[in-house]
Amino acid sequence: MLKHTNYLTKVYGVKDGHTLAVYEREAQGYQAAKKVLTSMTREQVVDEAKKANIRGRGGAGFPMGVKWSFMRPHATKPAYLVLNADEGEPGTHKDRTLMEENPHSVIEGCIIGCYGIGAHVAYIYVRDELHLSKARLEAAIEEARAKGYLGKTPFGKAYPVDVHVHTGAGAYICGEETSLLNSLEGRRGEPRLKPPFPAQVGAFGCPTTVNNLETIGIVPSAFLMGCEEFSKLSALHAINDGGVRLYGVNGHVKKPCVVELAVGPTLRELVYDVGGGVLGDKPLWAIIPGGSSTPVLRADELVHAPDEKSPLHEYHGKSILDVPLGVDTARGLGTMLGTCCITVMAEGTSPVAAMQNLMQFYRHESCGQCTPCREGSGWLVRICDKLMAGTATMAELDTLHSVANNIMGNTICAFGEGTAMPALGFLKKFRKDFEAYVRDSQAGKRATLVVEGESFLPPSANAGAQAAE
Amino acid sequence: MPTFKLDGKTIPFEAGDSIIRAAEKAGVEIPHYCYHAGLSSPANCRMCLVEILPAANQRAMMLDIVEWDEKLGDYKAVRKPKLQPSCQFMATEGQEVLAETSTHVIEARAGVQEFLLLNHPVDCPICDQAGECKLQDYWLEHQKTPKRMHDEPVHKPKAVSFGDTIVYDAERCVMCTRCIRFMDEVAKDPVLDMRERGNLKEVIVAPGRKLEGHYTLMTEHVCPVGALTSKDFRFKARVWFLKTAKTVCQGCATGCNAHFDYDPRSNKALRYRPRDNEAVNKYWMCDEGMLSYRDVTSNRVPGALVGGKPVKLDRALEDAKKRFGSVQKSSIAFVLSAKHSLEDNLALFELAELCASRALYVTGAPDGYSDDILIHADKNSNTAGVKNLAPEAKSFADLLADASAGKVTHVIALGGAAPTEEVTALGRLEGLVTIAAHEGPITGAAHVVLPAAAWIESSGTFVNAKGMRQLAEKGTEPLGASEPGWKLVGKLAVAIGVEPSWTTLKDVRSMLVATSVPPPEPPSAEASAE
């Protein structure tokens, strides 16, 4: 069910909305942090956070409160909060709006997060290319410091908190939390082996919680209204997927945008009500639900959930476009919610070109540390390239899934799955199209990823306007 | 001892053992590239993946993959369990691990092996690793499928010089990072690292540096494939023609266990490789030690010398007889050598006993560079052995003093080495015979030099600085006219009119048992790393 909210986006599009003055005036800025620091114990903060049912916004959907509860005070070592703002997943563009339009919600979230996990320092790891994001975050930190919200005694409480912005060099793999920690420490951005998990051995060898930026950004809103109340805003509160989050719509839609919605809109609502419909009013063909790593869904798929215990049972036999979108419901559809930014594809899009496009990305971004991902991602591209060039054989097409199978689960980090899942998704759902590219050597030359003659509405019709609705 | 099950077989383990380590100790090899018992485990090659069965109250983590169904004419959704790297996973009591008995593991290994060869040049005929390459071994054992990728492979830098000793070929590299970890963790000089990403990755030397120091050759040795090759060994031999002797490095008092590789057809020494011994050198050797296989030929005494001129051995023994035959036997001084085996030293010691001489001295090479990794300041391989054999033996400085003072006039010595180059006092001696494999200050001053076999040309025993008695096997045949030192001592004894109490190596060894030298170490563990 589509329910627009404006907890995070209230100051989006407002003049000087990124400043402390506007944040305090319009969004009860820093009231949540004040309440938490002056009236709650650390344990209470974690218990309360669990009630918010905030599922990690970075893609994996792990419950934030539970992650916080893994942090145990260490006898000698400090703890750290690290915010992952290395938003690099193709088709994902939500964290950037938050950093640019509402950086203070992030800083306030850091204060609460640090207090909750027993840290005194938070690092925000931002992609290098996001210059405005970094500038806005740094300005927000300065303002908060000047007011004393960050520093030795925030809100009169002797609990020092500081926040630092750290610049990454723009490698996708640094969005993987342990890679990010390596990069933060000045090492090569390559994933670490787990265990130990960051809660035991994280940044600089100290206990660390790594949260997505949006996850922390929504924390002040949740604490301000009461975490249980916050969770109930969601249509999926009953299956522990609470609150509101940023949804993105991109691809072949008339109005690509980022909007804030209560958790649980359907894909149909996102495409037609939020995205303004498919470009050129073409039929909807396929959707990648949450960043390029999540397996693609065909628009004509039906829900298959004969099991009465399944959260999707009530939608059994219905169109997948009418399922409320949450972490567990998306999993039930055989894909993942991921970052909640859907990529819409109109009829006429080439699945082979789409897969080639994605595989090029994964080949380029594989850190190369472990064998299956390093070599497998390159092999997948080669075959896709040959399919597009019209030189692939049926034997090579039949190799694709076995290459992806051999990457799946056999790597150090989830990047392997992130490469294999979309590859297998495209193959499984569009095998006949792939075969056509083997038979017809000219098919690749006709393949397209765009809707000819159509373009998006101008940016002014985008995010800000949506939020104001 | 706690145990776990690997393919149904009970494997004991100690706390802190990974699954692969425990299996290795039990003599079961789990295939691997990046894992090395002496280094940290990065779990990056993914060759050692195993299936760990979930405990009774747990469920296995399953992954969605697809299979092609011929009948259906479509993909069929299937699931496979998440496999774990056995080099990273610690062994735990009662755990059930599947390797050879899991189709998932067998498939994963074949997959990794195929990936590793995907962009590999497969240039085995011109590769020095051929014959001892894991890619070769594992292709046969774990893949055996024909090549499925027929396009031009990725090209990367080849024949990159990393320094004075090592050449790198990025196309052959499997990115296991063993060389990087060795330099960082063991040599304590993190001069190697990676550059680029994905399948363009390559190992590099830190800008402005070269791969240097005392442990560069080890990077080649830990390399499981032909990516790093040693400039010294490149294009010299096919390893399958070589024979190997288990020996002990003679470079210093550490006594690193080594494999000595030589070509039996030409009697040519080719290289040293470390031989694993947890108690001595673990898995390592230093560059100086590794290159000291060359001592088989360099600076050798290939035949007998009289007054510096080459002569037949008989002629040299006659000369010795002339100089020593009429001398009071008990007045002859004997010089043991810390660079010779216990067998040679014992023979000379025995001769001194037979001559009823109490004038014992000891010589050896001067001290040199040392570190806290392997290299000992004492550059002699048997200092402790000689000290045990003849604790009363006086120093080489005492010998020089006694010679100057005329207290010593006739000397029978072992070896050419001396702790000092300044040996003019030896010129005052009326008779100096030395039994030496290598030239040195003593051979320079000697009237008669008898050509001894080098350490690798005859089996010998050496006691290292830790007091461990280690046996070194015979490798190459003696150079020129040289003969084992203990045998020459016997011949010399006869020449000067003493009947030796030994004729065979077995005789010498049985005398050795009676000495105060510590009992032999149990044979070194051969398992572990390669």
Side-chain angles (χ1 to χ4, degrees):
Chain A
M1 190 185 61
L2 194 63
K3 189 163 89 183
H4 283 281
T5 58
N6 66 354
Y7 295 94
L8 273 177
T9 53
K10 198 167 193 178
V11 296
Y12 274 37
V14 175
K15 185 172 185 311
D16 295 332
H18 57 276
T19 60
L20 183 58
V22 176
Y23 182 60
E24 289 194 305
R25 188 185 73 217
E26 298 288 329
Q28 291 176 269
Y30 291 97
Q31 293 305 308
K34 185 177 178 183
K35 183 174 107 180
V36 167
L37 259 67
T38 54
S39 69
M40 295 171 81
T41 65
R42 209 196 125 188
E43 290 72 24
Q44 285 170 334
V45 172
V46 175
D47 287 343
E48 184 73 1
K50 283 184 186 167
K51 290 182 199 155
N53 288 320
I54 297 174
R55 308 292 289 261
R57 307 307 199 215
F62 195 81
M64 181 198 77
V66 178
K67 204 180 216 182
W68 284 11
S69 71
F70 294 152
M71 293 290 280
R72 299 271 175 272
H74 192 278
T76 53
K77 290 176 178 174
Y80 293 107
L81 175 66
V82 175
L83 268 59
N84 186 344
D86 191 60
E87 191 174 54
E89 184 86 7
T92 300
H93 40 81
K94 60 181 182 67
D95 293 343
R96 177 178 177 177
T97 66
L98 194 52
M99 289 184 276
E100 291 180 0
E101 305 268 354
N102 191 6
H104 278 288
S105 69
V106 177
I107 309 302
E108 187 179 0
C110 285
I111 299 171
I112 300 170
C114 278
Y115 188 69
I117 64 165
H120 294 283
V121 175
Y123 291 99
I124 308 177
Y125 185 96
V126 188
R127 284 179 86 76
D128 182 53
E129 303 94 304
L130 305 183
H131 299 295
L132 182 59
S133 296
K134 283 183 285 180
R136 291 268 163 95
L137 283 172
E138 269 157 9
I141 290 167
E142 280 313 310
E143 284 185 304
R145 278 188 194 138
K147 273 264 187 162
Y149 297 162
L150 291 177
K152 292 215 169 104
T153 51
F155 313 103
K157 174 102 175 177
Y159 190 88
V161 177
D162 207 352
V163 181
H164 301 281
V165 173
H166 183 93
T167 302
Y172 174 68
I173 192 62
C174 290
E176 198 278 341
E177 63 175 4
T178 56
S179 252
L180 186 153
L181 294 174
N182 271 344
S183 175
L184 183 70
E185 291 177 14
R187 299 167 195 272
R188 260 182 88 84
E190 288 183 343
R192 297 176 182 174
L193 300 174
K194 291 191 263 190
F197 291 92
Q200 288 104 44
V201 182
F204 311 104
C206 303
T208 301
T209 295
V210 184
N211 282 135
N212 173 261
L213 179 108
E214 186 199 337
T215 309
I216 292 295
I218 195 64
V219 163
S221 304
F223 275 81
L224 200 59
M225 72 184 300
C227 286
E228 198 162 348
E229 282 307 301
F230 174 79
S231 177
K232 284 178 183 163
L233 293 172
S234 158
L236 300 175
H237 167 72
I239 54 170
N240 301 324
D241 196 346
V244 303
R245 61 189 294 173
L246 297 177
Y247 283 80
V249 186
N250 60 62
H252 301 154
V253 287
K254 293 177 184 170
K255 275 198 302 180
C257 60
V258 174
V259 292
E260 182 188 317
L261 301 172
V263 170
T266 66
L267 284 169
R268 195 183 299 283
E269 288 163 343
L270 287 171
V271 175
Y272 293 99
D273 301 337
V274 176
V278 181
L279 271 183
D281 291 319
K282 293 225 172 192
L284 179 63
W285 174 70
I287 295 173
I288 299 176
S292 60
S293 294
T294 57
V296 65
L297 292 169
R298 288 178 73 118
D300 58 7
E301 278 181 63
L302 300 178
V303 178
H304 181 75
D307 184 359
E308 284 180 18
K309 283 182 206 141
S310 162
L312 290 181
H313 183 62
E314 59 174 304
Y315 303 97
H316 179 61
K318 293 182 184 163
S319 167
I320 54 142
L321 299 179
D322 296 316
V323 173
L325 217 47
V327 174
D328 297 311
T329 53
R331 206 163 281 159
L333 295 178
T335 182
M336 283 175 75
L337 183 63
T339 57
C340 247
C341 289
I342 69 167
T343 301
V344 178
M345 289 179 273
E347 196 161 281
T349 311
S350 159
V352 181
M355 179 163 155
Q356 181 202 30
N357 182 298
L358 295 181
M359 293 305 116
Q360 279 170 343
F361 173 81
Y362 288 107
R363 188 223 150 243
H364 184 255
E365 294 294 341
S366 166
C367 81
Q369 186 180 200
C370 64
T371 310
C373 172
R374 179 179 70 237
E375 302 294 341
S377 60
W379 198 359
L380 290 172
V381 178
R382 275 168 187 275
I383 301 176
C384 288
D385 288 349
K386 291 181 88 174
L387 282 163
M388 288 295 285
T391 57
T393 61
M394 205 52 96
E396 280 170 315
L397 173 56
D398 285 334
T399 305
L400 273 176
H401 75 276
S402 83
V403 174
N405 283 352
N406 279 336
I407 302 175
M408 186 72 125
N410 288 354
T411 53
I412 292 176
C413 77
F415 188 106
E417 280 97 278
T419 310
M421 284 192 304
L424 291 176
F426 272 99
L427 282 173
K428 218 161 37 178
K429 291 179 181 172
F430 302 103
R431 166 80 188 193
K432 292 280 173 278
D433 299 73
F434 279 77
E435 286 177 7
Y437 279 65
V438 176
R439 291 201 199 91
D440 176 3
S441 64
Q442 299 304 304
K445 298 194 175 62
R446 296 190 298 270
T448 179
L449 286 175
V450 297
V451 179
E452 295 298 332
E454 297 289 337
S455 61
F456 312 130
L457 294 179
S460 57
N462 287 356
Q466 276 293 320
E469 273 176 22
Chain B
M1 207 181 215
T3 62
F4 68 97
K5 284 235 158 76
L6 176 60
D7 290 328
K9 189 180 168 192
T10 303
I11 308 273
F13 68 94
E14 287 165 55
D17 276 352
S18 59
I19 292 170
I20 201 172
R21 179 69 177 144
E24 188 175 55
K25 288 199 269 190
V28 180
E29 200 216 16
I30 297 176
H32 57 274
Y33 289 94
C34 70
Y35 163 77
H36 188 291
L39 301 170
S40 62
S41 284
N44 63 30
C45 74
R46 315 309 278 181
M47 194 64 189
C48 74
L49 291 174
V50 291
E51 183 177 348
I52 299 173
L53 296 184
N57 55 348
Q58 288 175 330
R59 273 192 309 171
M61 184 183 167
M62 301 299 283
L63 299 154
D64 293 310
I65 53 170
V66 300
E67 246 172 33
W68 179 251
D69 190 323
E70 240 1 290
K71 274 189 210 144
L72 215 62
D74 201 354
Y75 294 109
K76 194 173 68 183
V78 285
R79 311 189 89 195
K80 67 169 183 180
K82 169 95 177 149
L83 306 178
Q84 300 294 353
S86 59
C87 65
Q88 184 207 353
F89 251 73
M90 291 299 140
T92 51
E93 174 68 49
Q95 196 175 37
E96 278 203 61
V97 183
L98 305 183
E100 315 284 335
T101 52
S102 161
T103 52
H104 304 291
V105 171
I106 290 167
E107 272 170 31
R109 285 176 183 175
V112 169
Q113 184 59 29
E114 184 177 32
F115 283 139
L116 287 175
L117 285 174
L118 197 70
N119 287 302
H120 188 281
V122 199
D123 55 347
C124 307
I126 56 161
C127 180
D128 279 289
Q129 193 80 5
E132 47 190 13
C133 175
K134 291 217 157 197
L135 285 169
Q136 290 181 329
D137 297 350
Y138 289 165
W139 180 84
L140 196 66
E141 256 180 277
H142 303 295
Q143 186 187 351
K144 280 190 191 159
T145 53
K147 203 167 166 65
R148 289 197 289 174
M149 205 278 288
H150 302 284
D151 308 314
E152 188 68 13
V154 173
H155 288 295
K156 293 198 271 193
K158 295 179 81 72
V160 181
S161 177
F162 269 8
D164 299 335
T165 52
I166 297 290
V167 177
Y168 175 63
D169 184 324
E171 291 185 353
R172 291 179 190 158
C173 182
V174 295
M175 309 299 152
C176 70
T177 69
R178 274 185 178 187
C179 54
I180 298 175
R181 284 176 283 137
F182 174 83
M183 286 310 292
D184 185 11
E185 296 166 14
V186 181
K188 309 285 180 205
D189 179 13
V191 69
L192 297 181
D193 207 334
M194 288 281 188
R195 71 179 286 277
E196 262 296 349
R197 250 188 345 219
N199 62 8
L200 299 177
K201 226 175 174 190
E202 62 179 288
V203 175
I204 51 154
V205 183
R209 289 278 319 269
K210 60 180 186 175
L211 181 59
E212 60 197 342
H214 295 275
Y215 296 92
T216 63
L217 288 171
M218 274 312 301
T219 60
E220 183 274 334
H221 182 70
V222 295
C223 181
V225 297
L228 296 175
T229 45
S230 130
K231 286 186 181 174
D232 183 63
F233 186 69
R234 260 163 88 81
F235 310 130
K236 290 231 179 98
R238 291 272 80 128
V239 295
W240 49 86
F241 292 125
L242 304 187
K243 273 183 103 169
T244 297
K246 290 175 190 165
T247 186
V248 174
C249 178
Q250 303 292 304
C252 75
T254 303
C256 291
N257 292 203
H259 287 295
F260 181 92
D261 293 339
Y262 63 100
D263 191 331
R265 301 168 302 177
S266 56
N267 199 40
K268 192 176 172 196
L270 283 151
R271 65 173 178 184
Y272 253 151
R273 288 176 291 132
R275 184 159 56 95
D276 302 347
N277 187 337
E278 275 290 346
V280 182
N281 51 312
K282 295 198 171 72
Y283 320 93
W284 328 121
M285 275 177 82
C286 69
D287 284 2
E288 290 79 358
M290 293 252 256
L291 292 175
S292 68
Y293 76 88
R294 296 166 171 170
D295 291 351
V296 180
T297 47
S298 80
N299 213 24
R300 281 294 297 276
V301 178
L305 302 169
V306 171
K309 298 249 162 43
V311 294
K312 285 253 162 61
L313 181 65
D314 290 350
R315 165 80 179 73
L317 288 170
E318 260 172 46
D319 197 82
K321 187 179 176 181
K322 259 187 242 159
R323 287 179 186 269
F324 284 76
S326 56
V327 175
Q328 178 73 34
K329 296 283 180 291
S330 61
S331 74
I332 301 173
F334 293 86
V335 183
L336 304 172
S337 170
K339 282 192 84 68
H340 274 247
S341 68
L342 273 180
E343 286 79 355
D344 291 0
N345 278 293
L346 185 69
L348 192 64
F349 181 80
E350 187 67 13
L351 179 57
E353 296 268 291
L354 294 172
C355 292
S357 164
R358 287 278 162 271
L360 284 174
Y361 300 87
V362 60
T363 186
D367 282 358
Y369 172 83
S370 68
D371 64 20
D372 52 8
I373 302 170
L374 283 180
I375 303 174
H376 203 285
D378 178 1
K379 298 301 166 194
N380 298 292
S381 54
N382 206 8
T383 303
V386 173
K387 205 173 186 86
N388 270 305
L389 184 65
E392 74 281 11
K394 293 196 276 183
S395 73
F396 188 77
D398 292 337
L399 174 70
L400 293 179
D402 292 349
S404 296
K407 286 188 201 162
V408 169
T409 54
H410 288 78
V411 171
I412 295 176
L414 257 186
T420 168
E421 292 288 321
E422 172 45 47
V423 292
T424 41
L426 297 182
R428 301 191 48 149
L429 296 174
E430 290 164 33
L432 171 57
V433 178
T434 187
I435 298 163
H438 294 97
E439 286 181 7
I442 299 180
T443 53
H447 302 108
V448 177
V449 180
L450 305 181
W455 83 104
I456 197 65
E457 295 164 348
S458 100
S459 177
T461 310
F462 299 86
V463 182
N464 73 1
K466 283 185 182 167
M468 298 161 70
R469 182 158 134 174
Q470 307 191 99
L471 185 70
E473 288 178 354
K474 175 176 179 293
T476 46
E477 293 304 318
L479 184 83
S482 61
E483 289 181 42
W486 56 267
K487 204 178 249 181
L488 288 174
V489 176
K491 289 186 177 176
L492 181 62
V494 174
I496 63 169
V498 177
E499 190 56 38
S501 51
W502 67 95
T503 51
T504 65
L505 181 61
K506 205 172 160 195
D507 297 339
V508 181
R509 290 254 161 91
S510 64
M511 293 192 293
L512 206 52
V513 175
T515 66
S516 59
V517 177
E521 285 291 311
S524 67
E526 275 301 314
S528 63
E530 56 291 325

